[in-house]
Amino acid sequence: MTASPNLVPITVARGDGIGPEIMQATLDILQAAGARLAIEEIEIGEQLYTKGILSGIEDSSWDSILKTRVFLKAPITTPQGGGVKSLNVTTRKTLGLYANVRPCVSYHPFVRTKHPTMDVVIVRENEEDLYAGIEHRQTDQVYQCLKLISRPGSEKIVRYAFEYAVANDRKKVTCFTKDNIMKFTDGLFHKVFDEVAAEYPDIENEHWIVDIGAAKLADSPEVFDVIVMPNLYGDILSDVAAQIAGSVGLAGSANIGEKAAMFEAIHGSAPRRAGQNMANPSGLLLGAIQMLVHIGQHDVAQNVHNAWLKTLEDGVHTYDIFKEGVSTEKVGTREFAAAVVARVGQQPQKLKPVVYKAAPGKTAEGEAKPIYTPTVPAKKELMGVDIFLHCIDVTPDELGAKIKSLELDNLALQVISNRGVKVYPKGFAETFCTDHWRCRFLNPAGNPVSHADILRLLTNIGDAGLDFIKTEHLCTFDGVQGWTAAQGA
Ligand code: NAD
């Protein structure tokens, strides 16, 4: 395709394994349906890994993605080990692709599923949570991974979920968190959900604790509509949802950022099926349909999606979903693409036709809405400190007595905990202790303390031969306590 002012530039990578075949099929369908695209191709994956480029992508390819800001990506084969970085994670983080959107739909009775009316969209936060990758070994026994949840990060994803619901005539947005345990991190996500939900009175909203929510999703997915989640729960449950829809091979996904977006199938490069004209191109095609909506070509997206649904219900199936008695024709990748092309302009008769309007977060004219509220800094006061120690062969009472002798007048020892459980003063002999201790110091007068006070305390502790490994400041924000109590304290 040649560039013209009416064509939208996109970057395309054909990937590895079955990637080139399913990408060709997808592009053939898009072109036949009149997608207005100017395609720039880049190489990613195996060819680069074998050249020693461990990121799987060359700098010049980044230039294309940064220019077009729309990336349609076929799956790649990720070599095991050897310092190779996941290209998906790199792309998401580098481009700030905060929203992972995965529609999980069953196509009963044309594709086998236990949940014939399932139609759930998982909206997963993509950049924060335990995936910040900040991990440390702190003692002989204890390793730590930081779970980071931010207010703008939560607001962006929750607002995206509600905007998605509005743009796609969805009725309800559900939030899954574990805020009964993680009161600050998941608690913030839940709080922001409630605040944003109040701005969308026409959309029903609800919150579930993630464990029982996940069980309900696996058992009765038809009670959910759009579900928004922090990164880890979303990672796990979006695969569960795609699988129970009966069709991991039929799911596409969008990774949306403020400045760029990436679209793909959720499956991998299936190397054993490569080069045999067997693979099902549907997952990548559905990702490409999400891309068309994103770039404002709803008309083409709708045509392609409905032609694809008509192909499915006509029983024209690739090997992975072929079923005697339901399917009418077993076809290869190219023939499947040709069958979809032949149906462009047709509507499905039994499956529900799709209707696309504006892309989520944009008006019908393509204007982007503001996605998060600027932060107003609070009055922050330093009230104390948690000091973490690496100590072996010590009882809580011995450690408590030693630390008490090192405290300051305005930074007195309040409590020692081990793996979050209070062990001093008055701990239980039954509590198992590791070599990782948290000592909490606060000003008994309840007044703020200074950085210099904390440095003096740390000096006392270091001079006494104790190995301090980390500190966490205890602050109030506009007078509200910014730390949680130890269990049992
Ligand atoms: P896979 O998704 O490639 O394959 C799993 C199974 O599903 C296989 O039996 C395969 O034959 C079948 N399958 C997958 N897609 C199909 C399709 N379109 N049509 C028909 N059948 C299909 O998972 P895997 O085998 O675990 O991984 C293979 C490679 O893909 C690995 O190197 C992995 O790292 C990589 N991978 C890449 C991505 C990505 O690029 N986004 C995602 C997942 C896995």
Side-chain angles (χ1 to χ4, degrees):
M1 293 181 194
T2 51
S4 113
N6 297 327
L7 301 181
V8 176
I10 66 165
T11 302
V12 163
R14 292 178 185 259
D16 303 321
I18 59 170
E21 297 160 72
I22 61 174
M23 182 59 85
Q24 190 58 53
T26 298
L27 295 179
D28 288 348
I29 296 167
L30 297 191
Q31 188 162 31
R36 302 174 290 280
L37 304 172
I39 292 172
E40 290 190 9
E41 292 212 23
I42 61 166
E43 278 181 7
I44 56 168
E46 251 174 349
Q47 294 162 15
L48 297 169
Y49 290 128
T50 50
K51 277 194 229 162
I53 298 170
L54 298 182
S55 61
I57 182 167
E58 276 178 307
D59 289 349
S60 56
S61 301
W62 278 120
D63 294 342
S64 170
I65 297 170
L66 291 170
K67 191 170 65 181
T68 66
R69 304 192 175 277
V70 181
F71 184 21
L72 180 62
K73 174 182 160 294
I76 58 168
T77 304
T78 320
Q80 302 292 310
V84 163
K85 294 283 183 201
S86 157
L87 182 58
N88 268 355
V89 176
T90 308
T91 310
R92 282 178 196 152
K93 289 198 170 175
T94 310
L95 299 178
L97 308 182
Y98 65 90
N100 183 273
V101 185
R102 196 182 277 190
C104 300
V105 183
S106 60
Y107 303 100
H108 177 80
F110 307 103
V111 179
R112 193 196 310 249
T113 172
K114 291 182 191 140
H115 305 287
T117 58
M118 176 172 181
D119 184 0
V120 175
V121 180
I122 307 283
V123 178
R124 162 192 170 194
E125 199 291 316
N126 229 1
E127 294 181 292
E128 305 196 334
D129 198 357
L130 291 156
Y131 290 62
I134 306 175
E135 293 193 291
H136 295 94
R137 179 174 181 176
Q138 296 189 321
T139 68
D140 289 312
Q141 297 175 335
V142 174
Y143 297 68
Q144 173 189 268
C145 174
L146 281 188
K147 175 172 166 109
L148 298 177
I149 302 273
S150 76
R151 178 171 265 279
S154 303
E155 192 180 337
K156 281 196 305 189
I157 193 69
V158 170
R159 196 173 290 287
Y160 188 90
F162 278 94
E163 288 292 333
Y164 185 95
V166 171
N168 292 282
D169 285 332
R170 298 271 172 170
K171 306 289 175 250
K172 181 168 76 171
V173 180
T174 304
C175 175
F176 283 2
T177 73
K178 189 77 184 169
D179 67 336
N180 54 334
I181 302 297
M182 283 159 279
K183 296 183 196 309
F184 271 37
T185 48
D186 282 19
L188 173 64
F189 196 92
H190 185 176
K191 186 165 184 277
V192 170
F193 176 79
D194 288 344
E195 289 169 9
V196 173
E199 295 174 32
Y200 296 84
D202 297 336
I203 309 272
E204 197 187 327
N205 70 82
E206 62 179 7
H207 172 268
W208 290 67
I209 299 293
V210 62
D211 38 14
I212 190 63
K216 187 75 177 169
L217 175 66
D219 184 63
S220 325
E222 61 283 353
V223 305
F224 296 107
D225 194 343
V226 176
I227 312 180
V228 63
M229 285 179 256
N231 206 341
L232 177 65
Y233 316 138
D235 190 2
I236 297 167
L237 292 178
S238 57
D239 267 22
V240 171
Q243 179 70 28
I244 65 171
S247 55
V248 178
L250 300 187
S253 93
N255 293 274
I256 308 281
E258 284 172 67
K259 301 199 174 74
M262 173 173 78
F263 303 87
E264 59 185 344
I266 71 167
H267 61 72
S269 59
R272 283 187 304 122
R273 306 287 179 192
Q276 298 163 52
N277 189 38
M278 285 181 82
N280 187 343
S282 298
L284 186 60
L285 182 66
L286 290 173
I289 290 169
Q290 289 179 281
M291 176 191 79
L292 291 173
V293 176
H294 178 79
I295 61 175
Q297 297 187 16
H298 322 107
D299 49 342
V300 189
Q302 195 167 305
N303 268 344
V304 173
H305 203 150
N306 286 327
W308 176 78
L309 289 170
K310 180 80 170 77
T311 309
L312 267 198
E313 69 174 29
D314 284 350
V316 183
H317 293 166
T318 43
Y319 83 93
D320 53 314
I321 57 168
F322 183 87
K323 196 171 153 226
E324 284 302 341
V326 175
S327 309
T328 53
E329 214 183 323
K330 189 189 264 184
V331 292
T333 315
R334 284 191 293 275
E335 295 71 27
F336 183 82
V340 178
V341 168
R343 287 166 177 78
V344 169
Q346 296 183 30
Q347 298 269 317
Q349 302 301 310
K350 299 184 187 99
L351 295 168
K352 194 170 149 226
V354 293
V355 179
Y356 286 115
K357 293 185 290 186
K362 290 185 184 167
T363 63
E365 292 72 42
E367 270 172 51
K369 295 187 178 173
I371 50 178
Y372 62 91
T373 321
T375 305
V376 180
K379 182 173 182 236
K380 181 179 171 190
E381 291 186 297
L382 181 60
M383 308 306 289
V385 64
D386 279 349
I387 298 179
F388 291 77
L389 303 176
H390 177 187
C391 296
I392 43 169
D393 296 334
V394 67
T395 66
D397 286 344
E398 285 165 0
L399 186 62
K402 186 157 188 184
I403 297 285
K404 267 260 162 234
S405 70
L406 304 170
E407 66 184 18
L408 308 181
D409 287 346
N410 65 347
L411 278 173
L413 180 66
Q414 304 290 309
V415 64
I416 300 178
S417 64
N418 196 297
R419 292 190 299 177
V421 182
K422 184 185 92 163
V423 292
Y424 175 89
K426 298 195 183 108
F428 286 87
E430 289 77 7
T431 306
F432 178 80
C433 289
T434 66
D435 58 0
H436 184 269
W437 308 81
R438 177 180 63 168
C439 306
R440 173 159 291 173
F441 299 86
L442 287 163
N443 188 344
N447 296 325
V449 296
S450 67
H451 285 173
D453 295 327
I454 292 174
L455 288 174
R456 269 198 299 282
L457 178 61
L458 283 171
T459 304
N460 286 356
I461 290 173
D463 288 349
L466 290 167
D467 181 11
F468 63 83
I469 50 174
K470 164 189 161 94
T471 59
E472 291 285 355
H473 288 188
L474 308 177
C475 299
T476 55
F477 293 81
D478 288 337
V480 178
Q481 185 176 307
W483 64 92
T484 57
Q487 303 267 339

